Amino acid sequence: MNDRKGLDDSGRPIVAELGRAETPQETADRKAAATVAHRSNQTVLNLVIALAASLLVVFVIVVVVVRPDQAGAPKAVDYAAVARDAQPSVSTPLLVPTLPKGWSANRAELVDAASSSDGIASWQIGLLTPSTQYIGLVQGLDANASWIASQLHDKKATGQTSFDGSRWQVYDHRADSNPGNLAYALVTTVGASTVVLAGTASDSEFATLATEITKELNG
C-alpha cells in the first residue's frame, strides 16, 4: 500500500479512522459535504459584504447629504428686509420693532386684502423670544372689531394695561385648556393700525415687544 500523501496504490484517500481507502460513496459524501460547507461560507461572506455596503450608504447619507446647516436651527427671517420690500404696496407704515439680542423671527409676510378671508390686509411676524417662546405680531390695516374677534377666536378681554402711555387690552387665557398660541394676547389700535400680539411668552417679553411697538405707532 502506498501511503504517500494519505493515498493507497489506486490513488484513493485513506481514511485514518478505518485504516483503509475510502469507498466511492464515502468519497462522494466527502465532496458533497465540502461543497455544502463552501456554499455556506460564501453565503456568510455575501451577507457580510451586503451589510458593509449598507453601512457605507448610511455613512454617506449622514456625512455628505445631511450638512451641518441643514441639521441646525432654522435660519432667522430678516423681517425688516421683508417689510422694506412690502411697504410700497400699502400706505400704512409697517411695524418693524427693534428688539434686544436673543429675539428672532421665523416668518414675516404681508397678506393683502384680496388674499385674506376677511378682506383686511395684515402685516404678520412670527417672533421667537429669548426664552424660546413665541409671540405672533399681526398688524391689521384699517381693521375692525370683527377682525380682532377673528384673530383671537372670540376670546374675551380680561383687563387692560399700558405701555409707554398707550393703553392695550389684555386677553389672559393661560388657565384655559390647551390655549396654544392664544394663551396670552395684547391688542391696541392707533390710527389705521390695529395690533394683536398673541403667544406663549412671559409678561416681561410681551412688555418688551409692546413697548417697542408703542414707540413706533406714536413716533
Side-chain angles (χ1 to χ4, degrees):
M1 178 179 292
N2 182 8
D3 60 357
R4 288 182 308 157
K5 299 182 181 179
L7 303 176
D8 67 2
D9 293 336
S10 301
R12 295 178 301 172
I14 296 174
V15 181
E17 295 82 355
L18 301 177
R20 61 170 174 75
E22 63 184 8
T23 65
Q25 183 61 49
E26 290 170 339
T27 300
D29 292 344
R30 175 174 55 79
K31 291 181 178 181
T35 300
V36 171
H38 176 72
R39 289 176 178 172
S40 178
N41 289 337
Q42 285 296 107
T43 300
V44 172
L45 179 60
N46 291 339
L47 288 174
V48 171
I49 293 173
L51 177 59
S54 299
L55 291 176
L56 179 60
V57 171
V58 172
F59 176 80
V60 170
I61 292 174
V62 171
V63 174
V64 178
V65 178
V66 181
R67 297 185 177 90
D69 59 337
Q70 293 175 319
K75 187 176 180 180
V77 173
D78 186 350
Y79 59 88
V82 178
R84 284 193 299 271
D85 292 341
Q87 187 62 73
S89 63
V90 293
S91 57
T92 302
L94 301 179
L95 293 171
V96 184
T98 301
L99 297 168
K101 183 178 180 180
W103 289 74
S104 64
N106 59 10
R107 62 181 292 268
E109 67 172 322
L110 177 65
V111 179
D112 61 34
S115 301
S116 66
S117 59
D118 47 27
I120 294 176
S122 62
W123 166 239
Q124 304 178 11
I125 307 175
L127 292 165
L128 303 178
T129 73
S131 66
T132 68
Q133 295 301 307
Y134 176 82
I135 301 179
L137 184 165
V138 184
Q139 177 187 8
L141 310 182
D142 296 314
N144 50 38
S146 296
W147 179 84
I148 296 174
S150 176
Q151 292 296 311
L152 298 174
H153 295 182
D154 295 316
K155 291 184 180 293
K156 303 300 182 182
T158 58
Q160 292 185 343
T161 189
S162 294
F163 299 101
D164 205 27
S166 289
R167 189 162 296 280
W168 293 69
Q169 293 288 324
V170 177
Y171 295 75
D172 188 349
H173 291 275
R174 289 165 174 155
D176 291 0
S177 175
N178 300 318
N181 285 334
L182 294 178
Y184 189 85
L186 296 171
V187 179
T188 194
T189 298
V190 176
S193 295
T194 297
V195 181
V196 175
L197 308 179
T200 59
S202 64
D203 288 356
S204 62
E205 289 173 330
F206 268 99
T208 295
L209 179 57
T211 299
E212 290 300 316
I213 290 174
T214 298
K215 292 177 182 177
E216 279 198 73
L217 291 173
N218 296 329

